[in-house]
Amino acid sequence: MLQTSRLILRQWTDHDLAPFAQLNADPEVMQYFPAPLSGAESNAFANTIRSLIEQRGWGLWAVEVPGQAAFIGFVGLHIPANDLPCSPCVEIGWRLAKAHWGRGYASEAAEAALAYAFGELGLDEVVSFTAVINKPSEAVMRKIGMANAQQNFAHPRVEVDSPLREHVLYKIHRKEWELHLDSLA
């Protein structure tokens, strides 16, 4: 479990499945993904995430706002498939329910995840990527100190004619993260 001044990042529970299915069915939340997820797809994804956290001790943690919301989405670390040009790597990612956008939760939780990546895991680099049209996620990447690697790529699991196919890659190295922390102090 990780904790920030306003959030808790934790292992998933069965109580998270219904709100997770709701956010995965929301067309606005899923606008930068090929399609919203069905309830069964959402549950399968949540169970995979939970299993990976059990195996590794880290992953795409469930996020809660204590005293306000038991589950608002996920933020955390993941090892993506090997068919990406940036692989092997560890990526940082997030997906929050629309009701919780615009409050700085994604960047606050992502900062805690980066601290875990560079501290506990001892990683030298963390990446993040999204469709080039996903400007809100790019803004979070920049806010947490990541830089555009200037290595856009065609995502192999997105249809060739989709506007979501071209992805932008962001990276942050340990030393850049330390400088970013210093700038926040």
mmCIF file of all heavy atoms in Angstrom, residues 148-175:
data_model
loop_
_atom_site.group_PDB
_atom_site.id
_atom_site.type_symbol
_atom_site.label_atom_id
_atom_site.label_comp_id
_atom_site.label_asym_id
_atom_site.label_seq_id
_atom_site.Cartn_x
_atom_site.Cartn_y
_atom_site.Cartn_z
ATOM 1 N N ASN A 148 8.920 13.829 -23.481
ATOM 2 C CA ASN A 148 8.623 13.160 -24.744
ATOM 3 C C ASN A 148 9.932 12.607 -25.301
ATOM 4 O O ASN A 148 10.890 13.349 -25.501
ATOM 5 C CB ASN A 148 7.981 14.155 -25.714
ATOM 6 C CG ASN A 148 7.475 13.496 -26.977
ATOM 7 O OD1 ASN A 148 8.031 12.525 -27.470
ATOM 8 N ND2 ASN A 148 6.415 14.051 -27.521
ATOM 9 N N ALA A 149 9.969 11.308 -25.555
ATOM 10 C CA ALA A 149 11.181 10.649 -26.056
ATOM 11 C C ALA A 149 11.372 10.857 -27.552
ATOM 12 O O ALA A 149 12.385 10.418 -28.103
ATOM 13 C CB ALA A 149 11.129 9.149 -25.734
ATOM 14 N N GLN A 150 10.398 11.495 -28.221
ATOM 15 C CA GLN A 150 10.455 11.706 -29.671
ATOM 16 C C GLN A 150 10.602 10.367 -30.399
ATOM 17 O O GLN A 150 11.342 10.255 -31.371
ATOM 18 C CB GLN A 150 11.612 12.654 -30.031
ATOM 19 C CG GLN A 150 11.557 14.003 -29.332
ATOM 20 C CD GLN A 150 10.299 14.798 -29.662
ATOM 21 O OE1 GLN A 150 9.846 14.828 -30.797
ATOM 22 N NE2 GLN A 150 9.719 15.428 -28.658
ATOM 23 N N GLN A 151 9.879 9.361 -29.888
ATOM 24 C CA GLN A 151 9.913 8.014 -30.475
ATOM 25 C C GLN A 151 8.492 7.490 -30.639
ATOM 26 O O GLN A 151 8.145 6.425 -30.132
ATOM 27 C CB GLN A 151 10.729 7.060 -29.585
ATOM 28 C CG GLN A 151 12.179 7.426 -29.452
ATOM 29 C CD GLN A 151 12.907 6.563 -28.425
ATOM 30 O OE1 GLN A 151 12.314 5.915 -27.569
ATOM 31 N NE2 GLN A 151 14.224 6.563 -28.506
ATOM 32 N N ASN A 152 7.654 8.238 -31.356
ATOM 33 C CA ASN A 152 6.286 7.781 -31.591
ATOM 34 C C ASN A 152 6.313 6.429 -32.279
ATOM 35 O O ASN A 152 7.264 6.102 -33.002
ATOM 36 C CB ASN A 152 5.526 8.782 -32.458
ATOM 37 C CG ASN A 152 5.177 10.048 -31.706
ATOM 38 O OD1 ASN A 152 5.667 10.305 -30.615
ATOM 39 N ND2 ASN A 152 4.336 10.859 -32.301
ATOM 40 N N PHE A 153 5.259 5.642 -32.042
ATOM 41 C CA PHE A 153 5.188 4.313 -32.640
ATOM 42 C C PHE A 153 3.746 3.935 -32.937
ATOM 43 O O PHE A 153 2.814 4.481 -32.345
ATOM 44 C CB PHE A 153 5.845 3.265 -31.737
ATOM 45 C CG PHE A 153 5.187 3.069 -30.400
ATOM 46 C CD1 PHE A 153 4.227 2.077 -30.207
ATOM 47 C CD2 PHE A 153 5.521 3.880 -29.317
ATOM 48 C CE1 PHE A 153 3.616 1.897 -28.969
ATOM 49 C CE2 PHE A 153 4.918 3.702 -28.070
ATOM 50 C CZ PHE A 153 3.962 2.705 -27.905
ATOM 51 N N ALA A 154 3.584 3.015 -33.858
ATOM 52 C CA ALA A 154 2.269 2.469 -34.181
ATOM 53 C C ALA A 154 1.995 1.326 -33.215
ATOM 54 O O ALA A 154 2.744 0.348 -33.176
ATOM 55 C CB ALA A 154 2.244 1.972 -35.623
ATOM 56 N N HIS A 155 0.955 1.470 -32.396
ATOM 57 C CA HIS A 155 0.651 0.431 -31.408
ATOM 58 C C HIS A 155 0.203 -0.833 -32.145
ATOM 59 O O HIS A 155 -0.754 -0.797 -32.924
ATOM 60 C CB HIS A 155 -0.433 0.908 -30.441
ATOM 61 C CG HIS A 155 -0.463 0.104 -29.190
ATOM 62 N ND1 HIS A 155 -0.819 -1.229 -29.161
ATOM 63 C CD2 HIS A 155 -0.153 0.442 -27.906
ATOM 64 C CE1 HIS A 155 -0.746 -1.673 -27.917
ATOM 65 N NE2 HIS A 155 -0.341 -0.687 -27.139
ATOM 66 N N PRO A 156 0.864 -1.944 -31.905
ATOM 67 C CA PRO A 156 0.579 -3.169 -32.664
ATOM 68 C C PRO A 156 -0.802 -3.777 -32.418
ATOM 69 O O PRO A 156 -1.270 -4.580 -33.225
ATOM 70 C CB PRO A 156 1.689 -4.133 -32.234
ATOM 71 C CG PRO A 156 2.164 -3.612 -30.918
ATOM 72 C CD PRO A 156 1.965 -2.130 -30.955
ATOM 73 N N ARG A 157 -1.469 -3.403 -31.341
ATOM 74 C CA ARG A 157 -2.783 -3.984 -31.061
ATOM 75 C C ARG A 157 -3.930 -3.000 -31.301
ATOM 76 O O ARG A 157 -5.033 -3.203 -30.818
ATOM 77 C CB ARG A 157 -2.815 -4.533 -29.630
ATOM 78 C CG ARG A 157 -1.983 -5.816 -29.506
ATOM 79 C CD ARG A 157 -1.973 -6.401 -28.112
ATOM 80 N NE ARG A 157 -1.521 -5.479 -27.084
ATOM 81 C CZ ARG A 157 -0.264 -5.104 -26.890
ATOM 82 N NH1 ARG A 157 0.683 -5.549 -27.665
ATOM 83 N NH2 ARG A 157 0.048 -4.276 -25.909
ATOM 84 N N VAL A 158 -3.652 -1.940 -32.067
ATOM 85 C CA VAL A 158 -4.682 -0.982 -32.446
ATOM 86 C C VAL A 158 -4.822 -1.053 -33.968
ATOM 87 O O VAL A 158 -3.828 -1.126 -34.689
ATOM 88 C CB VAL A 158 -4.312 0.450 -31.994
ATOM 89 C CG1 VAL A 158 -5.365 1.450 -32.451
ATOM 90 C CG2 VAL A 158 -4.160 0.505 -30.468
ATOM 91 N N GLU A 159 -6.060 -1.042 -34.431
ATOM 92 C CA GLU A 159 -6.337 -1.149 -35.870
ATOM 93 C C GLU A 159 -5.524 -0.122 -36.673
ATOM 94 O O GLU A 159 -5.355 1.017 -36.232
ATOM 95 C CB GLU A 159 -7.829 -0.934 -36.140
ATOM 96 C CG GLU A 159 -8.732 -2.005 -35.543
ATOM 97 C CD GLU A 159 -8.545 -3.373 -36.182
ATOM 98 O OE1 GLU A 159 -8.272 -3.436 -37.404
ATOM 99 O OE2 GLU A 159 -8.659 -4.377 -35.459
ATOM 100 N N VAL A 160 -5.057 -0.544 -37.833
ATOM 101 C CA VAL A 160 -4.192 0.284 -38.674
ATOM 102 C C VAL A 160 -4.830 1.624 -39.025
ATOM 103 O O VAL A 160 -4.151 2.651 -39.043
ATOM 104 C CB VAL A 160 -3.801 -0.490 -39.961
ATOM 105 C CG1 VAL A 160 -3.038 0.406 -40.925
ATOM 106 C CG2 VAL A 160 -2.984 -1.720 -39.609
ATOM 107 N N ASP A 161 -6.126 1.659 -39.274
ATOM 108 C CA ASP A 161 -6.782 2.900 -39.687
ATOM 109 C C ASP A 161 -7.366 3.699 -38.520
ATOM 110 O O ASP A 161 -8.036 4.712 -38.729
ATOM 111 C CB ASP A 161 -7.868 2.600 -40.719
ATOM 112 C CG ASP A 161 -8.952 1.658 -40.189
ATOM 113 O OD1 ASP A 161 -8.757 1.065 -39.101
ATOM 114 O OD2 ASP A 161 -9.981 1.504 -40.857
ATOM 115 N N SER A 162 -7.089 3.302 -37.301
ATOM 116 C CA SER A 162 -7.627 3.993 -36.127
ATOM 117 C C SER A 162 -6.827 5.258 -35.821
ATOM 118 O O SER A 162 -5.593 5.256 -35.888
ATOM 119 C CB SER A 162 -7.583 3.069 -34.904
ATOM 120 O OG SER A 162 -7.919 3.789 -33.731
ATOM 121 N N PRO A 163 -7.514 6.342 -35.417
ATOM 122 C CA PRO A 163 -6.796 7.544 -34.984
ATOM 123 C C PRO A 163 -6.038 7.323 -33.662
ATOM 124 O O PRO A 163 -5.251 8.178 -33.253
ATOM 125 C CB PRO A 163 -7.900 8.593 -34.822
ATOM 126 C CG PRO A 163 -9.153 7.815 -34.642
ATOM 127 C CD PRO A 163 -8.969 6.518 -35.390
ATOM 128 N N LEU A 164 -6.261 6.176 -33.030
ATOM 129 C CA LEU A 164 -5.578 5.838 -31.777
ATOM 130 C C LEU A 164 -4.291 5.043 -32.006
ATOM 131 O O LEU A 164 -3.568 4.745 -31.053
ATOM 132 C CB LEU A 164 -6.511 5.020 -30.878
ATOM 133 C CG LEU A 164 -7.832 5.682 -30.508
ATOM 134 C CD1 LEU A 164 -8.720 4.698 -29.766
ATOM 135 C CD2 LEU A 164 -7.595 6.934 -29.687
ATOM 136 N N ARG A 165 -4.007 4.686 -33.243
ATOM 137 C CA ARG A 165 -2.858 3.801 -33.530
ATOM 138 C C ARG A 165 -1.516 4.450 -33.194
ATOM 139 O O ARG A 165 -0.665 3.820 -32.587
ATOM 140 C CB ARG A 165 -2.872 3.365 -34.979
ATOM 141 C CG ARG A 165 -1.682 2.458 -35.315
ATOM 142 C CD ARG A 165 -2.084 1.381 -36.251
ATOM 143 N NE ARG A 165 -0.944 0.679 -36.813
ATOM 144 C CZ ARG A 165 -0.621 -0.557 -36.473
ATOM 145 N NH1 ARG A 165 -1.324 -1.212 -35.594
ATOM 146 N NH2 ARG A 165 0.408 -1.151 -37.030
ATOM 147 N N GLU A 166 -1.324 5.709 -33.602
ATOM 148 C CA GLU A 166 -0.032 6.342 -33.327
ATOM 149 C C GLU A 166 0.047 6.720 -31.855
ATOM 150 O O GLU A 166 -0.825 7.409 -31.323
ATOM 151 C CB GLU A 166 0.185 7.577 -34.191
ATOM 152 C CG GLU A 166 1.574 8.163 -33.987
ATOM 153 C CD GLU A 166 1.858 9.419 -34.786
ATOM 154 O OE1 GLU A 166 0.974 9.868 -35.544
ATOM 155 O OE2 GLU A 166 2.959 9.964 -34.631
ATOM 156 N N HIS A 167 1.099 6.251 -31.211
ATOM 157 C CA HIS A 167 1.315 6.515 -29.786
ATOM 158 C C HIS A 167 2.563 7.366 -29.578
ATOM 159 O O HIS A 167 3.534 7.270 -30.326
ATOM 160 C CB HIS A 167 1.467 5.193 -29.023
ATOM 161 C CG HIS A 167 0.177 4.613 -28.571
ATOM 162 N ND1 HIS A 167 -0.885 4.372 -29.424
ATOM 163 C CD2 HIS A 167 -0.246 4.215 -27.343
ATOM 164 C CE1 HIS A 167 -1.890 3.857 -28.735
ATOM 165 N NE2 HIS A 167 -1.527 3.762 -27.475
ATOM 166 N N VAL A 168 2.496 8.183 -28.550
ATOM 167 C CA VAL A 168 3.633 8.999 -28.134
ATOM 168 C C VAL A 168 4.254 8.310 -26.916
ATOM 169 O O VAL A 168 3.544 7.744 -26.077
ATOM 170 C CB VAL A 168 3.199 10.446 -27.817
ATOM 171 C CG1 VAL A 168 2.183 10.499 -26.684
ATOM 172 C CG2 VAL A 168 4.388 11.333 -27.502
ATOM 173 N N LEU A 169 5.577 8.322 -26.856
ATOM 174 C CA LEU A 169 6.312 7.674 -25.769
ATOM 175 C C LEU A 169 6.980 8.737 -24.907
ATOM 176 O O LEU A 169 7.680 9.611 -25.429
ATOM 177 C CB LEU A 169 7.378 6.730 -26.348
ATOM 178 C CG LEU A 169 8.304 6.041 -25.348
ATOM 179 C CD1 LEU A 169 7.532 5.032 -24.496
ATOM 180 C CD2 LEU A 169 9.449 5.339 -26.086
ATOM 181 N N TYR A 170 6.743 8.655 -23.608
ATOM 182 C CA TYR A 170 7.406 9.527 -22.635
ATOM 183 C C TYR A 170 8.290 8.666 -21.752
ATOM 184 O O TYR A 170 8.004 7.492 -21.525
ATOM 185 C CB TYR A 170 6.373 10.251 -21.759
ATOM 186 C CG TYR A 170 5.840 11.519 -22.373
ATOM 187 C CD1 TYR A 170 5.010 11.483 -23.483
ATOM 188 C CD2 TYR A 170 6.178 12.760 -21.839
ATOM 189 C CE1 TYR A 170 4.522 12.653 -24.047
ATOM 190 C CE2 TYR A 170 5.692 13.941 -22.396
ATOM 191 C CZ TYR A 170 4.870 13.869 -23.503
ATOM 192 O OH TYR A 170 4.398 15.030 -24.050
ATOM 193 N N LYS A 171 9.371 9.260 -21.249
ATOM 194 C CA LYS A 171 10.298 8.548 -20.362
ATOM 195 C C LYS A 171 10.734 9.472 -19.234
ATOM 196 O O LYS A 171 10.718 10.691 -19.371
ATOM 197 C CB LYS A 171 11.564 8.116 -21.127
ATOM 198 C CG LYS A 171 11.343 7.114 -22.219
ATOM 199 C CD LYS A 171 12.661 6.739 -22.882
ATOM 200 C CE LYS A 171 12.445 5.694 -23.970
ATOM 201 N NZ LYS A 171 13.728 5.298 -24.584
ATOM 202 N N ILE A 172 11.147 8.840 -18.151
ATOM 203 C CA ILE A 172 11.826 9.569 -17.081
ATOM 204 C C ILE A 172 12.888 8.636 -16.502
ATOM 205 O O ILE A 172 12.620 7.469 -16.221
ATOM 206 C CB ILE A 172 10.857 10.100 -15.994
ATOM 207 C CG1 ILE A 172 11.599 11.008 -15.012
ATOM 208 C CG2 ILE A 172 10.138 8.958 -15.285
ATOM 209 C CD1 ILE A 172 10.695 11.828 -14.100
ATOM 210 N N HIS A 173 14.103 9.158 -16.389
ATOM 211 C CA HIS A 173 15.202 8.416 -15.793
ATOM 212 C C HIS A 173 15.304 8.804 -14.319
ATOM 213 O O HIS A 173 14.839 9.874 -13.917
ATOM 214 C CB HIS A 173 16.515 8.734 -16.524
ATOM 215 C CG HIS A 173 16.495 8.308 -17.955
ATOM 216 N ND1 HIS A 173 16.851 7.051 -18.361
ATOM 217 C CD2 HIS A 173 16.115 8.971 -19.067
ATOM 218 C CE1 HIS A 173 16.717 6.959 -19.671
ATOM 219 N NE2 HIS A 173 16.267 8.105 -20.129
ATOM 220 N N ARG A 174 15.938 7.952 -13.553
ATOM 221 C CA ARG A 174 16.076 8.188 -12.109
ATOM 222 C C ARG A 174 16.631 9.584 -11.823
ATOM 223 O O ARG A 174 16.096 10.316 -10.991
ATOM 224 C CB ARG A 174 16.976 7.127 -11.489
ATOM 225 C CG ARG A 174 17.312 7.395 -10.030
ATOM 226 C CD ARG A 174 18.441 6.506 -9.530
ATOM 227 N NE ARG A 174 18.085 5.113 -9.653
ATOM 228 C CZ ARG A 174 17.368 4.434 -8.742
ATOM 229 N NH1 ARG A 174 16.946 5.052 -7.658
ATOM 230 N NH2 ARG A 174 17.097 3.172 -8.912
ATOM 231 N N LYS A 175 17.695 9.989 -12.501
ATOM 232 C CA LYS A 175 18.308 11.289 -12.229
ATOM 233 C C LYS A 175 17.355 12.430 -12.574
ATOM 234 O O LYS A 175 17.299 13.437 -11.864
ATOM 235 C CB LYS A 175 19.625 11.424 -12.986
ATOM 236 C CG LYS A 175 20.706 10.549 -12.402
ATOM 237 C CD LYS A 175 22.016 10.701 -13.115
ATOM 238 C CE LYS A 175 23.026 9.755 -12.471
ATOM 239 N NZ LYS A 175 24.317 9.783 -13.100
#
